[in-house]
mmCIF file of all heavy atoms in Angstrom:
data_model
loop_
_atom_site.group_PDB
_atom_site.id
_atom_site.type_symbol
_atom_site.label_atom_id
_atom_site.label_comp_id
_atom_site.label_asym_id
_atom_site.label_seq_id
_atom_site.Cartn_x
_atom_site.Cartn_y
_atom_site.Cartn_z
ATOM 1 N N ARG E 1 -12.385 -3.050 4.724
ATOM 2 C CA ARG E 1 -12.277 -3.081 6.182
ATOM 3 C C ARG E 1 -12.108 -4.507 6.693
ATOM 4 O O ARG E 1 -11.616 -4.722 7.819
ATOM 5 C CB ARG E 1 -13.482 -2.421 6.834
ATOM 6 C CG ARG E 1 -14.807 -3.135 6.644
ATOM 7 C CD ARG E 1 -15.936 -2.444 7.403
ATOM 8 N NE ARG E 1 -15.758 -2.580 8.827
ATOM 9 C CZ ARG E 1 -15.965 -1.625 9.721
ATOM 10 N NH1 ARG E 1 -16.351 -0.422 9.325
ATOM 11 N NH2 ARG E 1 -15.799 -1.853 11.007
ATOM 12 N N GLN E 2 -12.531 -5.497 5.899
ATOM 13 C CA GLN E 2 -12.391 -6.892 6.303
ATOM 14 C C GLN E 2 -11.002 -7.465 6.000
ATOM 15 O O GLN E 2 -10.661 -8.543 6.485
ATOM 16 C CB GLN E 2 -13.445 -7.750 5.598
ATOM 17 C CG GLN E 2 -14.881 -7.308 5.835
ATOM 18 C CD GLN E 2 -15.265 -7.310 7.304
ATOM 19 O OE1 GLN E 2 -14.825 -8.182 8.061
ATOM 20 N NE2 GLN E 2 -16.093 -6.355 7.706
ATOM 21 N N VAL E 3 -10.217 -6.749 5.202
ATOM 22 C CA VAL E 3 -8.869 -7.208 4.872
ATOM 23 C C VAL E 3 -7.985 -7.047 6.107
ATOM 24 O O VAL E 3 -7.979 -5.987 6.735
ATOM 25 C CB VAL E 3 -8.295 -6.404 3.689
ATOM 26 C CG1 VAL E 3 -6.844 -6.793 3.414
ATOM 27 C CG2 VAL E 3 -9.152 -6.614 2.438
ATOM 28 N N PRO E 4 -7.233 -8.042 6.513
ATOM 29 C CA PRO E 4 -6.362 -7.907 7.683
ATOM 30 C C PRO E 4 -5.407 -6.728 7.547
ATOM 31 O O PRO E 4 -4.932 -6.421 6.437
ATOM 32 C CB PRO E 4 -5.601 -9.246 7.716
ATOM 33 C CG PRO E 4 -6.515 -10.208 7.022
ATOM 34 C CD PRO E 4 -7.198 -9.406 5.945
ATOM 35 N N VAL E 5 -5.126 -6.101 8.668
ATOM 36 C CA VAL E 5 -4.278 -4.905 8.652
ATOM 37 C C VAL E 5 -2.938 -5.193 7.987
ATOM 38 O O VAL E 5 -2.440 -4.390 7.181
ATOM 39 C CB VAL E 5 -4.070 -4.376 10.088
ATOM 40 C CG1 VAL E 5 -3.044 -3.254 10.102
ATOM 41 C CG2 VAL E 5 -5.388 -3.898 10.674
ATOM 42 N N THR E 6 -2.342 -6.312 8.298
ATOM 43 C CA THR E 6 -1.028 -6.618 7.723
ATOM 44 C C THR E 6 -1.087 -6.741 6.207
ATOM 45 O O THR E 6 -0.124 -6.406 5.510
ATOM 46 C CB THR E 6 -0.470 -7.919 8.323
ATOM 47 O OG1 THR E 6 -1.458 -8.956 8.192
ATOM 48 C CG2 THR E 6 -0.131 -7.728 9.798
ATOM 49 N N GLU E 7 -2.219 -7.176 5.670
ATOM 50 C CA GLU E 7 -2.358 -7.266 4.218
ATOM 51 C C GLU E 7 -2.618 -5.904 3.589
ATOM 52 O O GLU E 7 -2.207 -5.656 2.449
ATOM 53 C CB GLU E 7 -3.491 -8.244 3.862
ATOM 54 C CG GLU E 7 -3.185 -9.686 4.215
ATOM 55 C CD GLU E 7 -4.297 -10.632 3.812
ATOM 56 O OE1 GLU E 7 -5.037 -10.314 2.851
ATOM 57 O OE2 GLU E 7 -4.442 -11.684 4.464
ATOM 58 N N ARG E 8 -3.295 -5.023 4.319
ATOM 59 C CA ARG E 8 -3.493 -3.668 3.797
ATOM 60 C C ARG E 8 -2.158 -2.961 3.573
ATOM 61 O O ARG E 8 -2.044 -2.082 2.708
ATOM 62 C CB ARG E 8 -4.335 -2.841 4.771
ATOM 63 C CG ARG E 8 -5.764 -3.262 4.929
ATOM 64 C CD ARG E 8 -6.485 -2.302 5.860
ATOM 65 N NE ARG E 8 -7.581 -2.960 6.556
ATOM 66 C CZ ARG E 8 -7.935 -2.730 7.804
ATOM 67 N NH1 ARG E 8 -7.262 -1.838 8.524
ATOM 68 N NH2 ARG E 8 -8.940 -3.366 8.359
ATOM 69 N N MET E 9 -1.166 -3.338 4.351
ATOM 70 C CA MET E 9 0.117 -2.642 4.264
ATOM 71 C C MET E 9 0.798 -2.843 2.916
ATOM 72 O O MET E 9 1.621 -2.031 2.503
ATOM 73 C CB MET E 9 1.053 -3.101 5.381
ATOM 74 C CG MET E 9 0.551 -2.794 6.791
ATOM 75 S SD MET E 9 -0.004 -1.106 7.035
ATOM 76 C CE MET E 9 -1.787 -1.305 6.955
ATOM 77 N N THR E 10 0.457 -3.932 2.220
ATOM 78 C CA THR E 10 1.071 -4.125 0.908
ATOM 79 C C THR E 10 0.630 -3.046 -0.072
ATOM 80 O O THR E 10 1.392 -2.668 -0.966
ATOM 81 C CB THR E 10 0.727 -5.517 0.350
ATOM 82 O OG1 THR E 10 -0.694 -5.639 0.200
ATOM 83 C CG2 THR E 10 1.224 -6.607 1.282
ATOM 84 N N LEU E 11 -0.596 -2.548 0.097
ATOM 85 C CA LEU E 11 -1.043 -1.446 -0.756
ATOM 86 C C LEU E 11 -0.179 -0.216 -0.514
ATOM 87 O O LEU E 11 0.231 0.466 -1.458
ATOM 88 C CB LEU E 11 -2.512 -1.125 -0.492
ATOM 89 C CG LEU E 11 -3.043 0.140 -1.186
ATOM 90 C CD1 LEU E 11 -2.913 0.040 -2.703
ATOM 91 C CD2 LEU E 11 -4.498 0.409 -0.789
ATOM 92 N N LEU E 12 0.109 0.104 0.744
ATOM 93 C CA LEU E 12 0.920 1.281 1.045
ATOM 94 C C LEU E 12 2.315 1.156 0.456
ATOM 95 O O LEU E 12 2.877 2.126 -0.066
ATOM 96 C CB LEU E 12 1.001 1.501 2.560
ATOM 97 C CG LEU E 12 -0.108 2.366 3.158
ATOM 98 C CD1 LEU E 12 -1.477 1.689 3.040
ATOM 99 C CD2 LEU E 12 0.178 2.709 4.614
ATOM 100 N N THR E 13 2.872 -0.050 0.518
ATOM 101 C CA THR E 13 4.204 -0.262 -0.063
ATOM 102 C C THR E 13 4.169 -0.038 -1.575
ATOM 103 O O THR E 13 5.085 0.571 -2.147
ATOM 104 C CB THR E 13 4.693 -1.686 0.255
ATOM 105 O OG1 THR E 13 4.763 -1.852 1.681
ATOM 106 C CG2 THR E 13 6.063 -1.933 -0.342
ATOM 107 N N ARG E 14 3.101 -0.510 -2.218
ATOM 108 C CA ARG E 14 2.975 -0.297 -3.670
ATOM 109 C C ARG E 14 2.720 1.181 -3.985
ATOM 110 O O ARG E 14 3.159 1.679 -5.037
ATOM 111 C CB ARG E 14 1.868 -1.167 -4.231
ATOM 112 C CG ARG E 14 2.149 -2.671 -4.142
ATOM 113 C CD ARG E 14 1.220 -3.479 -5.037
ATOM 114 N NE ARG E 14 -0.183 -3.244 -4.734
ATOM 115 C CZ ARG E 14 -0.915 -3.996 -3.919
ATOM 116 N NH1 ARG E 14 -0.364 -5.043 -3.295
ATOM 117 N NH2 ARG E 14 -2.198 -3.736 -3.723
ATOM 118 N N MET E 15 2.008 1.893 -3.120
ATOM 119 C CA MET E 15 1.821 3.335 -3.306
ATOM 120 C C MET E 15 3.165 4.050 -3.300
ATOM 121 O O MET E 15 3.436 4.926 -4.139
ATOM 122 C CB MET E 15 0.905 3.896 -2.213
ATOM 123 C CG MET E 15 -0.558 3.513 -2.367
ATOM 124 S SD MET E 15 -1.533 3.659 -0.829
ATOM 125 C CE MET E 15 -1.275 5.394 -0.397
ATOM 126 N N ALA E 16 4.018 3.703 -2.349
ATOM 127 C CA ALA E 16 5.354 4.313 -2.288
ATOM 128 C C ALA E 16 6.141 4.041 -3.561
ATOM 129 O O ALA E 16 6.799 4.933 -4.110
ATOM 130 C CB ALA E 16 6.110 3.786 -1.073
ATOM 131 N N SER E 17 6.054 2.807 -4.052
ATOM 132 C CA SER E 17 6.779 2.444 -5.271
ATOM 133 C C SER E 17 6.250 3.220 -6.470
ATOM 134 O O SER E 17 7.030 3.714 -7.305
ATOM 135 C CB SER E 17 6.652 0.941 -5.508
ATOM 136 O OG SER E 17 7.285 0.559 -6.713
ATOM 137 N N ALA E 18 4.916 3.347 -6.577
ATOM 138 C CA ALA E 18 4.328 4.079 -7.701
ATOM 139 C C ALA E 18 4.714 5.546 -7.671
ATOM 140 O O ALA E 18 4.965 6.166 -8.713
ATOM 141 C CB ALA E 18 2.806 3.928 -7.675
ATOM 142 N N LEU E 19 4.775 6.127 -6.482
ATOM 143 C CA LEU E 19 5.184 7.531 -6.363
ATOM 144 C C LEU E 19 6.629 7.715 -6.815
ATOM 145 O O LEU E 19 6.948 8.639 -7.571
ATOM 146 C CB LEU E 19 5.013 7.999 -4.923
ATOM 147 C CG LEU E 19 3.580 8.298 -4.487
ATOM 148 C CD1 LEU E 19 3.451 8.266 -2.972
ATOM 149 C CD2 LEU E 19 3.139 9.656 -5.028
ATOM 150 N N ARG E 20 7.491 6.830 -6.372
ATOM 151 C CA ARG E 20 8.913 6.983 -6.713
ATOM 152 C C ARG E 20 9.149 6.737 -8.203
ATOM 153 O O ARG E 20 9.955 7.433 -8.832
ATOM 154 C CB ARG E 20 9.764 6.040 -5.864
ATOM 155 C CG ARG E 20 9.823 6.456 -4.390
ATOM 156 C CD ARG E 20 10.854 5.660 -3.610
ATOM 157 N NE ARG E 20 10.985 6.181 -2.251
ATOM 158 C CZ ARG E 20 10.467 5.585 -1.165
ATOM 159 N NH1 ARG E 20 9.818 4.426 -1.289
ATOM 160 N NH2 ARG E 20 10.620 6.125 0.027
ATOM 161 N N SER E 21 8.456 5.770 -8.772
ATOM 162 C CA SER E 21 8.675 5.486 -10.193
ATOM 163 C C SER E 21 8.184 6.628 -11.073
ATOM 164 O O SER E 21 8.702 6.845 -12.171
ATOM 165 C CB SER E 21 7.982 4.178 -10.579
ATOM 166 O OG SER E 21 6.579 4.286 -10.451
ATOM 167 N N GLY E 22 7.192 7.389 -10.599
ATOM 168 C CA GLY E 22 6.681 8.508 -11.379
ATOM 169 C C GLY E 22 7.160 9.861 -10.908
ATOM 170 O O GLY E 22 6.619 10.893 -11.320
ATOM 171 N N LYS E 23 8.185 9.869 -10.036
ATOM 172 C CA LYS E 23 8.575 11.116 -9.361
ATOM 173 C C LYS E 23 8.912 12.247 -10.321
ATOM 174 O O LYS E 23 8.461 13.384 -10.130
ATOM 175 C CB LYS E 23 9.762 10.861 -8.433
ATOM 176 C CG LYS E 23 10.210 12.125 -7.682
ATOM 177 C CD LYS E 23 11.156 11.797 -6.543
ATOM 178 C CE LYS E 23 12.515 11.378 -6.992
ATOM 179 N NZ LYS E 23 13.462 11.260 -5.844
ATOM 180 N N ALA E 24 9.677 11.977 -11.341
ATOM 181 C CA ALA E 24 10.083 13.043 -12.260
ATOM 182 C C ALA E 24 8.862 13.677 -12.922
ATOM 183 O O ALA E 24 8.740 14.909 -12.994
ATOM 184 C CB ALA E 24 11.050 12.507 -13.302
#
């Protein structure tokens, strides 16, 4: 919760990448 919101967004971007790389 102490991490700035803009920095939290990098996790979401990596989540999207992990989902796409494992999609099949």
